[in-house]
């Protein structure tokens, strides 16, 4: 019912002739002050594009459903010059105003999925209108020709759609959820997917990045920065306009890093630091992307220098950027040397007057886990009351996908304040879990699962203490072969 109502309003205003003056972007000072509480006539969804600060507002086709990161045109009367907008209880910044007093906002990260209120208030009162909100999870198989999408609702994921995309391998989502970036390990072209496109996610464009043999793709959680990492260099992208990323520069890696064999990389939430795990001596390097040459290395730490094969598997910054989590264990290179323990390291970033030091604040061995695949720090979840508020950052919960020793079972473990890994999501029958992510409210834990039939699924289990049944949805039947650990899954913020 809600979907039909919004579509009706969108059709009336888009197809029945919005006057050019109504669409014109105007300065706030040119609008009238409000003399009463706001009234909302309609909310039109306009896709994930940029919002002009002046000139003409171009209305794109709509589908009547708002997606995380999508622009909404709120129409009505008596909004005044400085209205406040809440969407699903989350504050939404007013981006621009139209000549009829309309408000342009973007669905903010963290907005709950499902039907949500849009509340507009001014000094005289408030009014609200309810609209459906959609959040997508994106799955990329390691060796398939399609990218799949699932809708994340209160009951977990549900299959949505897929698009053909040859050579997909690495996946990341822009901080506000408007764009998904996909590239193959061979490099060449970065594909940009518009997640809030009308009718479902669609390829928006491609960027020739002119780099080959990509080792990692990373996106800052709170800054318009993306990086493509190779063995010898790093390509930095400006994603201030997420659908139109631009090359900022190609920086050579310091010799001590370039010759060590890049395994994985991540970028800090503020976009200033790049963490790289290398094979040689199983070291982690912290680089300042504003520096070049040897000066770029601001900290380093060898986590398993005595092992003559690479055992570092994955790494990820904490949401606050104060901790770097590193996962190690058995790899293809280390197996000829015998079993390797699965370990999680919490490296605290200690800032001193002379720079930054990596301090190994915590090391946990997961006795039941073998062949680790990925580590995820989840999101900036609300702190619970009581002693949990005083926990140091390296005691936050992280999620690790791995197999269980001497079984045909694969699982995702949660490692919290205690040095005890708890299985939250498990699959039997030789299925393997690769990429891991958590929904922004901390409700659902997702794992990308590769099946023996070549299909790929998203398995979901409650990530918090609330009750809920695990779910498994098939997104790509018979998608092809490839190492299960290479499968990626990401949820819109």
């Amino acid at each position: 019912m809600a979907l039909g109502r919004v579509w009706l309003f969108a059709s009336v205003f888009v197809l029945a002739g919005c006057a050019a003056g109504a669409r014109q972007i105007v300065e706030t000072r040119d609008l009238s002050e409000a003399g009463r509480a706001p009234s909302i006539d309609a909310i039109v969804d306009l896709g994930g594009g940029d919002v002009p600060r002046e000139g003409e507002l171009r209305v794109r086709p709509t589908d009547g459903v708002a997606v995380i990161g999508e622009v909404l045109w709120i129409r009505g009367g008596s909004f005044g010059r400085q209205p406040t907008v809440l969407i699903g209880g989350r504050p939404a910044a007013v981006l621009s105003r139209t000549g009829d007093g309309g408000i342009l906002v973007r669905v903010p990260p963290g907005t709950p999925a499902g039907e949500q209120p849009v509340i507009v208030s001014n000094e005289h009162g408030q009014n609200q209108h309810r609209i459906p909100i959609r959040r997508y999870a994106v799955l990329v198989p390691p060796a398939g020709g399609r990218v799949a999408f699932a809708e994340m609702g209160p009951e977990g994921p549900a299959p949505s759609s897929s698009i053909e995309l040859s050579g997909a391998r690495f996946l990341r989502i822009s901080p506000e959820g408007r764009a998904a970036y996909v590239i193959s390990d061979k490099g060449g072209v970065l594909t940009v997917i518009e997640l809030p496109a009308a009718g479902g996610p669609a390829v928006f464009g491609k960027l020739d990045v002119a780099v080959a043999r990509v080792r990692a793709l990373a996106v800052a959680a709170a800054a318009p920065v993306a990086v493509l990492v190779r063995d010898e260099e790093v390509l930095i992208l400006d994603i201030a306009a997420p659908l139109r990323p631009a090359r900022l520069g190609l920086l050579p890696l310091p010799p001590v890093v370039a010759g060590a064999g890049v395994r994985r990389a991540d970028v800090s939430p503020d976009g200033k630091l790049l963490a790289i795990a290398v094979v040689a001596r199983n070291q982690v390097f912290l680089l300042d992307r504003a520096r070049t040459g040897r000066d770029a290395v601001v900290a380093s730490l060898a986590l398993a220098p005595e092992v003559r094969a690479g055992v570092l598997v994955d790494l990820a910054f904490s949401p606050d950027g104060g901790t770097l989590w590193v996962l190690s264990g058995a790899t293809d290179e280390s197996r000829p040397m015998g079993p390797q323990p699965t370990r999680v390291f919490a490296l605290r970033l200690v800032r001193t007057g002379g720079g930054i030091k990596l301090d190994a604040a915590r090391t946990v061995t997961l006795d039941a886990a073998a062949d680790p695949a990925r580590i995820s720090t989840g999101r900036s979840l609300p702190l619970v009351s009581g002693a949990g508020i005083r926990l140091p950052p390296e005691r936050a919960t992280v999620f690790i996908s791995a197999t269980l020793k001497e079984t045909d079972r694969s699982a995702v473990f949660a490692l919290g304040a205690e040095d005890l890994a708890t299985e939250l999501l498990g699959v039997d029958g030789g299925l393997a879990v690769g990429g891991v992510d958590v929904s922004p409210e901390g409700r659902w834990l997702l794992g990308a699962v590769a099946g023996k039939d070549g299909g790929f699924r998203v398995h979901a289990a409650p990530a918090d203490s609330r009750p809920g049944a695990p779910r498994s949805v098939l997104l790509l039947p018979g998608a092809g072969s490839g190492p299960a650990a290479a499968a990626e899954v990401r949820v819109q913020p």
Side-chain angles (χ1 to χ4, degrees), residues 398-462:
V398 295
F399 305 93
I400 303 103
S401 60
T403 61
L404 275 71
K405 289 181 178 178
E406 301 177 355
T407 72
D408 65 349
R409 184 173 179 80
S410 183
V412 178
F413 300 92
L415 181 63
E418 304 298 329
D419 292 348
L420 179 65
T422 303
E423 180 182 322
L424 293 185
L425 183 156
V427 291
D428 295 310
L431 301 181
V433 182
V436 181
D437 203 2
V438 183
S439 59
E441 80 288 355
R443 178 71 179 95
W444 290 100
L445 171 68
L446 300 184
V449 177
K452 292 181 178 179
D453 58 356
F456 283 83
R457 295 166 170 79
V458 165
H459 283 232

Side-chain angles (χ1 to χ4, degrees), residues 96-266:
S96 293
R97 303 294 299 276
T98 55
D100 62 349
I103 305 169
L104 292 170
V105 298
R106 196 178 298 282
V107 181
T111 302
E115 188 170 283
Q116 301 294 333
V118 176
I119 300 174
V120 179
S121 58
N122 59 24
E123 63 270 28
H124 300 287
Q126 66 178 36
N127 201 341
Q128 69 171 279
H129 188 89
R130 300 186 70 84
I131 62 171
I133 302 290
R134 183 174 293 165
R135 170 176 281 103
Y136 287 109
V138 188
L139 182 142
V140 171
R146 304 190 72 82
V147 175
F149 307 92
E151 294 181 24
M152 291 298 302
E155 303 303 319
S160 176
S161 62
S162 65
I163 57 176
E164 293 186 7
L165 195 59
S166 177
R169 170 64 177 85
F170 298 106
L171 163 71
R172 286 296 186 272
I173 295 178
S174 61
E176 72 303 300
R178 296 162 62 185
Y181 306 113
V182 180
I183 193 169
S184 75
D185 52 5
K186 295 179 181 179
V189 176
L190 180 76
T191 300
V192 181
I193 298 173
E194 181 185 1
L195 295 176
V203 173
F204 182 87
K206 297 177 182 290
L207 176 67
D208 185 359
V209 295
V211 295
R213 300 186 304 277
V214 175
R215 297 299 186 188
L217 168 64
V219 171
V225 176
V227 295
L228 283 165
V229 182
R230 298 183 61 211
D231 281 325
E232 307 86 9
E233 58 197 1
V234 176
L235 175 64
I236 301 175
L237 302 176
D238 180 352
I239 56 171
L243 297 179
R244 297 177 174 84
R247 294 166 56 100
L248 278 182
L250 190 63
L251 303 179
L253 288 173
V256 67
V257 181
V262 173
R263 173 79 77 188
R264 298 286 291 178
D266 196 18

Side-chain angles (χ1 to χ4, degrees), residues 228-435:
L228 283 165
V229 182
R230 298 183 61 211
D231 281 325
E232 307 86 9
E233 58 197 1
V234 176
L235 175 64
I236 301 175
L237 302 176
D238 180 352
I239 56 171
L243 297 179
R244 297 177 174 84
R247 294 166 56 100
L248 278 182
L250 190 63
L251 303 179
L253 288 173
V256 67
V257 181
V262 173
R263 173 79 77 188
R264 298 286 291 178
D266 196 18
V267 63
S268 61
D270 62 7
K272 296 180 180 179
L273 298 174
L274 179 65
I276 298 180
V278 301
V279 174
R281 298 185 69 242
N282 293 297
Q283 297 176 91
V284 173
F285 289 90
L286 206 59
L287 308 182
D288 185 334
R289 71 174 186 85
R291 303 180 187 179
T292 58
R294 294 181 179 178
D295 291 340
V297 179
V298 295
S300 66
L301 187 64
L303 295 178
E306 74 285 355
V307 182
R308 296 185 178 181
V311 294
L312 300 189
V313 175
D314 198 11
L315 50 71
F317 276 99
S318 63
D320 65 357
T323 305
L324 180 66
W325 293 88
V326 184
L327 176 65
S328 74
T331 63
D332 291 340
E333 299 98 314
S334 72
R335 285 189 181 90
M337 302 178 62
Q340 298 294 329
T342 298
R343 290 194 176 115
V344 174
F345 302 89
L347 308 183
R348 186 188 298 175
L349 277 66
V350 180
R351 299 182 182 272
T352 65
I356 301 175
K357 176 185 176 182
L358 285 175
D359 179 25
R362 185 183 180 197
T363 301
V364 180
T365 300
L366 278 63
D367 293 325
D371 300 318
R374 294 297 170 83
I375 188 168
S376 174
T377 58
R379 314 284 174 152
S380 297
L381 305 182
L383 290 172
V384 296
S385 60
I389 295 177
R390 295 186 292 273
L391 288 175
E394 65 271 9
R395 294 289 173 178
T397 301
V398 295
F399 305 93
I400 303 103
S401 60
T403 61
L404 275 71
K405 289 181 178 178
E406 301 177 355
T407 72
D408 65 349
R409 184 173 179 80
S410 183
V412 178
F413 300 92
L415 181 63
E418 304 298 329
D419 292 348
L420 179 65
T422 303
E423 180 182 322
L424 293 185
L425 183 156
V427 291
D428 295 310
L431 301 181
V433 182

Side-chain angles (χ1 to χ4, degrees), residues 57-75:
L57 173 64
R58 297 185 180 275
V59 179
R60 302 172 62 186
T62 67
D63 59 8
V65 177
V67 179
I68 301 298
E70 185 164 17
V71 176
L72 302 182
W73 185 10
I74 305 173
R75 310 202 64 191

